[in-house]
Amino acid sequence: MPGDSELAVQEPDRRSPGTMEDKRNIQIIEWEHLDKKKFYVFGVAMTMMIRVSVYPFTLIRTRLQVQKGKSLYHGTFDAFVKILRADGVAGLYRGFLVNTFTLISGQCYVTTYELTRKFVADYSQSNTVKSLVAGGSTSLVAQSITVPIDVVSQHLMMQRKGEKMGRFQVHGNLEGQGVIAFGQTKDIIRQILRADGLRGFYRGYVASLLTYIPNSAVWWPFYHFYAEQLSRLCPQECPHIVFQAISGPLAAATASILTNPMDVIRTRVQVEGKSSIVLTFRQLMAEEGPWGLMKGLSARIISATPSTIVIVVGYESLKKLSLRPELVDSRHW
């Protein structure tokens, strides 16, 4: 599935007779059919609900990927319990306030996605081609906005009582500051500026592109593959939305496994201030071996599963709710 900061868009492919799309004749809602005001209002609300539910696992994944070996946590569940005991629920939401600014990139993502689909439609009517080209293009746009936000929020995620995890340490007591910690955010921003200048906010930009563009490219074909296989296995009466809800997480898990090595490298480049993807890879291999490239994978899959289900089902529902009033009666679902 597209990255934590991007909104995935699930749409059925038009294929030969006998596939699930033909059986159910799913109508695709395109950009020109939408009431844009409803689309953005409902979209922000839906994305925020997803972020609240999966953010703790995003934080855990980041810490697992940055730690050396198993020096602090032995896995996803162990990290969850230890963070909860040490810092309470607020500890699982460090950096959340800053991370919510990625809602902007999410809306830019869906806008660019839909407009790119419309542009590609002039050259190809294949839904798969339109989706793949639009998905890759919008990852570039979204990451250009998201990386600076990610850099700051990741350093906030590293703040904990006791041993320092990241390059920067917030000054003062971490206790009692809760989720909303403007002082901590300003402190981290100042430290990044002093250490790296403005370029520090785009540390890991190339690594992010190398993570999320392939992730989107891998996600789409696997999504269609799983959906087609399920359509053959399940009774014809089974609603198409069921295939979407199951295929989305399966595709997300597959994409996560294939792209997790680059995600680990991206996180280390951004948090540890490294300047070379190749050197970061070599150091990781020397210190932890091939298994180091799979760090944080379970947390990544856990965080991706509920968000993918909600996105797959929710995005289509969002588009139906956002249909222009004059088109509502002409559509049959």
Side-chain angles (χ1 to χ4, degrees), residues 162-176:
E163 183 183 340
K164 177 180 175 182
M165 285 194 73
R167 291 173 69 203
F168 307 122
Q169 188 73 31
V170 170
H171 301 303
N173 188 6
L174 288 173
E175 286 192 68

Side-chain angles (χ1 to χ4, degrees), residues 233-261:
L233 294 173
C234 297
Q236 186 171 343
E237 297 75 25
C238 187
H240 185 88
I241 199 71
V242 174
F243 301 146
Q244 289 180 312
I246 297 173
S247 301
L250 288 175
T254 305
S256 294
I257 292 169
L258 294 175
T259 62
N260 199 72

Side-chain angles (χ1 to χ4, degrees), residues 116 239 261 305 324:
T116 305
T305 298
R324 287 170 21 216

